[in-house]
Amino acid sequence: MKAVRFHEYGNPDVLGYEDVEQPVPGAGEVRIRVAATSFNPVDANIRAGFMRGPIPVDLPHTPGIDVAGTVDALGEGVDGIAVGDDVIGFLPMDGAGAAAEYVLAPAEVLTPAPKNVPLADSAALPLVGLTAYQALFEHGKLTAGQRVLINGAGGAVGGYAVQLAKNAGAHVIATAGPRSSEAVRSAGADEVIDHTTTVVTAALTEPVDVVLNLAPVDPAELAALVTLVRPGGVVVNTTVWMPAPSDEERGVRGVDLFVRSDTDQLAQLVALIDGGELRVAVAERVPLAELPTLHTRAAEGAVHGKVIVVPSMV
């Protein structure tokens, strides 16, 4: 089969499009014929060697944490999944990824794919959808009637976060630049602040219950977000190289989010998609052979929105 791998850590040019032996599923595993994976910024950080501590990988390594595809072989002891099933999943971050024609996956990380979007497009859901869900509901405890500020809502996680918060009955305030402000508004944001012209802390006239920070802001800007939160509220931060700010005197919690696979939550997101309550947005579809170029473009800041990577573009 074809796969993209790197044999050493480094710049995007360490990625190669190679012939690799097709994997055989072991006990508890299934083999998936990949319809698509997606590009996530963490893929670039793993490739560059920045994540060797929290995410140790064996070299050569195939990237691609998200997977959408069709089960084509079962390992011993797998129940509840059949050959021919269309599935999606968030693969173990330290294992072989789905930037390949076939990938092995632990059966327990897989969920039936949504039926209302093309199978390949559903690769745009797992990591970013779960990030948004866990940030808002598991850590933010967001409920109907609360006010939430989503800082950096123009990216892939932000698109899901705005929709999920609005669906939950929250008042959604989002920051976005001119390129993404209309998409953020159409996703359901009640207020959109242009962060390129407006200081967020000056734009809010009343406090919020939850701040979700998705933007790689200056540390001082991140620290200032805590002042926008009412007593007893929370700041959830996904830029984990900067600790989330907190305010113990006012009971404002700071939570650093590191997303994890959760099939129950992923199944809830799939149900929202199939019920027409959650949209999957795909900005680009890139052939697998062009994944090294995609990494280069991302390093140059030239990738916007969610990009899926497709082994076969037929």
Side-chain angles (χ1 to χ4, degrees):
M1 68 174 188
K2 290 292 188 181
V4 171
R5 302 195 298 177
F6 58 89
H7 295 253
E8 59 182 338
Y9 296 113
N11 294 324
D13 59 10
V14 301
L15 291 165
Y17 184 57
E18 303 175 352
D19 289 305
V20 180
E21 191 171 334
Q22 193 176 102
V24 177
E29 293 182 326
V30 305
R31 186 172 65 208
I32 299 167
R33 186 173 71 251
V34 177
T37 185
S38 82
F39 174 78
N40 292 290
V42 71
D43 295 326
N45 289 329
I46 292 171
R47 183 215 71 233
F50 300 150
M51 306 296 286
R52 275 181 264 195
I55 310 173
V57 298
D58 293 330
L59 299 178
H61 177 71
T62 302
I65 295 160
D66 292 315
V67 66
T70 304
V71 175
D72 94 318
L74 304 177
E76 185 181 347
V78 173
D79 294 315
I81 297 178
V83 170
D85 285 354
D86 289 340
V87 294
I88 62 171
F90 178 156
L91 298 174
M93 297 176 86
D94 59 354
E101 292 179 318
Y102 293 85
V103 68
L104 299 181
E108 67 266 17
V109 308
L110 301 174
T111 297
K115 296 176 172 57
N116 280 2
V117 296
L119 179 58
D121 287 7
S122 62
L125 175 66
L127 187 146
V128 290
L130 286 170
T131 299
Y133 186 96
Q134 290 169 18
L136 292 171
F137 305 118
E138 195 171 286
H139 300 293
K141 312 294 184 189
L142 185 69
T143 58
Q146 290 190 322
R147 289 165 54 84
V148 57
L149 169 65
I150 301 172
N151 192 45
V157 176
Y160 288 114
V162 170
Q163 292 181 77
L164 291 170
K166 190 63 180 175
N167 288 348
H171 180 86
V172 182
I173 306 158
T175 73
R179 183 178 53 240
S180 54
S181 60
E182 187 51 46
V184 168
R185 200 176 296 279
S186 69
D190 297 288
E191 303 176 43
V192 178
I193 299 168
D194 183 350
H195 64 80
T196 66
T197 61
T198 307
V199 177
V200 178
T201 49
L204 260 64
T205 56
E206 53 184 296
V208 298
D209 300 278
V210 179
V211 167
L212 170 54
N213 180 59
L214 304 171
V217 295
D218 178 275
E221 289 180 69
L222 181 62
L225 294 176
V226 78
T227 66
L228 304 175
V229 182
R230 65 159 181 81
V234 60
V235 177
V236 183
N237 178 45
T238 63
T239 56
V240 293
W241 59 90
M242 291 188 294
S246 60
D247 185 340
E248 292 184 11
E249 286 188 13
R250 297 192 303 118
V252 176
R253 295 181 297 125
V255 176
D256 294 305
L257 171 67
F258 200 82
V259 65
R260 69 178 201 288
S261 179
D262 187 306
T263 51
D264 290 338
Q265 293 174 358
L266 191 54
Q268 290 181 56
L269 295 172
V270 168
L272 289 171
I273 292 167
D274 283 340
E277 298 176 75
L278 188 65
R279 297 198 308 270
V280 173
V282 175
E284 284 185 75
R285 296 163 183 83
V286 171
L288 177 61
E290 294 180 17
L291 181 57
T293 303
L294 177 61
H295 273 243
T296 298
R297 288 174 50 214
E300 295 167 349
V303 173
H304 306 291
K306 194 64 177 170
V307 181
I308 62 168
V309 180
V310 184
S312 174
M313 293 291 282
V314 290

